[in-house]
Amino acid sequence: MSDSVTLTAVFTPDENGWTMAQLAEWPAVVTCAPTVEEARAMLLDAAREMIASYRDEGREPPIGGGHVEALTISLAA
C-alpha cells in the first residue's frame, strides 16, 4: 500500500441528531459524533487505528476492491 490513499467519507445524521461517519471503501471503519467536524476527526483516527491493527497482524488493510452502484427503491406502501 502506498503512503496515502484517498477514501470516501459518508456522513449521515442519526436519530439522535449526531453524525455517523463511515468509509465507503472500508465499511468496517465507522464512528459517530455530535458534529460533522468531530465525526471526521474520529473517522480519521479510527481508520489509522484499523490500519495499525492490520499491520500489527502482518496483513494489508482491505481497502477498496468493491464497487458502487445506484439502486432505485420504491417508496410505495
Side-chain angles (χ1 to χ4, degrees):
M1 179 180 278
S2 68
D3 289 340
S4 67
V5 63
T6 299
L7 301 173
T8 307
V10 178
F11 299 96
T12 308
D14 74 6
E15 63 277 1
N16 297 313
W18 282 43
T19 299
M20 182 181 81
Q22 185 173 25
L23 293 178
E25 297 86 355
W26 195 3
V29 180
V30 61
T31 190
C32 197
T35 67
V36 171
E37 292 77 17
E38 289 173 281
R40 182 182 300 110
M42 290 177 67
L43 188 63
L44 284 167
D45 185 57
R48 289 184 191 108
E49 290 295 323
M50 289 285 279
I51 290 168
S53 175
Y54 270 81
R55 294 222 169 125
D56 286 348
E57 296 172 1
R59 302 184 299 153
E60 282 298 312
I63 298 172
H67 73 276
V68 176
E69 63 182 62
L71 298 175
T72 301
I73 302 169
S74 173
L75 299 178

